[in-house]
Amino acid sequence: MQIERIPTLRDNYTYLIVDPATNEAAVVDAPEVDPVVDRIEALGVKVTKILSTHHHPDHSAANPALAQRYGAPVYGYVSDAHRIPGFTHGLEEGDTISVGELQAEILFIPAHTRGHIAYVFPDAVFCGDTLFSAGCGRLFEGTPEMMHAALNEKLSRLPDHARVYCGHEYTESNVRFALSVEPGNRQLQAKMDSVRAIRAHAGSNWHDAEDVEMTVPSTIGEEKATNPFMRPNSPEIIASVQMQAPGTPTDDVSILGAVRRLKDSF
Ligand code: ZN
Ligand code: FE
């Protein structure tokens, strides 16, 4: 399985999933056409599917143009038919899709939006704006309960080695926030050092970004060790929440909700 990371808009990731055996490819979360077409043509792959994790324009605006250009169907969560541009095929939890000989299973992970899904391949998960490296998406249409279920009941059960391909390059600011609630986490401190080193290569134009500037992917194991939204049992995070939001109950969902609110105003 070959995965191409294409920088789009200001800090978005569009992905190209390529099956080397058949030269077939799927596009994940494309907000603009040109950089995606450039990469497809440079590789000479045959696009057979357009995949959306959720309906937001920064993940789906280019669907119709790409679908028309390549004659490819557009997939998204079944109930978002009306708001995913170019939508043709609805998916639900447990469905499978193929890219050439590669197979992915669908996880339904609403919280950032009501119709958010992840595409789960054996060694790689495309999780849009639900799970970020060291962070999670804003709760535009969901609740802390829903985000907790998505992160800590579904995504956390994937293998530790599974690579996490998320929707944005937000890692450095996410790690800065994470350290503010869990400053004693050694693995998080080490992540700050490595992320700063990677981002030191970053130029001013994300469209020109090369692989050396990208902190994505991480892994599920790394997220479980460093992501404050996947660590509601951390005594240090609970203590930080109690300090900054006194009276917050210590159950997992209340802690996650409080950490999300702290991040919203960080
Ligand atoms: Zn979004
Ligand atoms: Fe987004």
Side-chain angles (χ1 to χ4, degrees):
M1 176 181 199
Q2 177 187 350
I3 298 167
E4 295 283 321
R5 297 168 292 183
I6 306 169
T8 46
L9 302 182
R10 276 176 58 106
D11 48 30
N12 277 79
Y13 279 106
T14 297
Y15 299 106
L16 203 55
I17 300 167
V18 180
D19 173 31
T22 60
N23 209 35
E24 286 186 30
V27 177
V28 180
D29 282 359
E32 52 183 337
V33 176
D34 290 352
V36 180
V37 167
D38 288 350
R39 188 72 62 99
I40 290 164
E41 290 184 352
L43 293 167
V45 296
K46 181 179 180 324
V47 172
T48 56
K49 288 186 173 71
I50 315 285
L51 310 176
S52 286
T53 60
H54 65 297
H55 75 283
H56 286 157
D58 65 311
H59 299 259
S60 63
N63 285 353
L66 292 170
Q68 189 181 21
R69 184 175 187 117
Y70 298 109
V74 175
Y75 291 77
Y77 188 65
V78 62
S79 71
D80 275 355
H82 63 293
R83 61 181 189 172
I84 292 176
F87 181 103
T88 60
H89 287 61
L91 295 167
E92 293 180 82
E93 170 103 358
D95 284 352
T96 58
I97 59 145
S98 61
V99 182
E101 292 169 4
L102 306 171
Q103 287 261 349
E105 187 173 323
I106 306 309
L107 270 188
F108 182 44
I109 48 170
H112 177 68
T113 69
R114 284 190 295 278
H116 201 301
I117 56 177
Y119 297 88
V120 181
F121 291 82
D123 298 310
V125 53
F126 297 85
C127 51
D129 288 357
T130 300
L131 171 62
F132 292 126
S133 185
C136 74
R138 284 179 186 261
L139 298 174
F140 287 125
E141 300 179 356
T143 62
E145 285 86 347
M146 290 160 73
M147 186 57 87
H148 179 261
L151 298 180
N152 297 311
E153 290 168 12
K154 292 191 176 177
L155 292 167
S156 67
R157 296 205 177 129
L158 301 179
D160 278 354
H161 71 263
R163 282 166 288 150
V164 175
Y165 290 90
C166 60
H168 292 266
E169 178 58 62
Y170 287 161
T171 313
E172 187 168 1
S173 62
N174 283 343
V175 172
R176 214 177 306 120
F177 170 75
L179 278 170
S180 79
V181 293
E182 201 180 25
N185 182 331
R186 301 285 288 271
Q187 207 169 323
L188 188 57
Q189 297 164 5
K191 180 161 175 142
M192 182 84 264
D193 293 341
S194 66
V195 165
R196 282 211 169 112
I198 293 168
R199 294 300 294 159
H201 298 288
S204 54
N205 186 353
W206 175 240
H207 276 104
D208 298 333
E210 295 172 31
D211 286 358
V212 67
E213 303 170 43
M214 299 177 181
T215 66
V216 172
S218 65
T219 64
I220 291 290
E222 183 178 331
E223 293 311 316
K224 282 155 82 171
T226 56
N227 190 315
F229 301 97
M230 293 182 88
R231 300 176 56 72
N233 295 313
S234 156
E236 195 178 17
I237 291 178
I238 293 170
S240 294
V241 166
Q242 296 288 328
M243 184 105 88
Q244 296 189 60
T248 303
T250 57
D251 65 280
D252 290 1
V253 170
S254 300
I255 295 296
L256 185 151
V259 173
R260 185 60 258 180
R261 284 190 293 279
L262 291 172
K263 175 72 168 71
D264 287 343
S265 57
F266 183 68

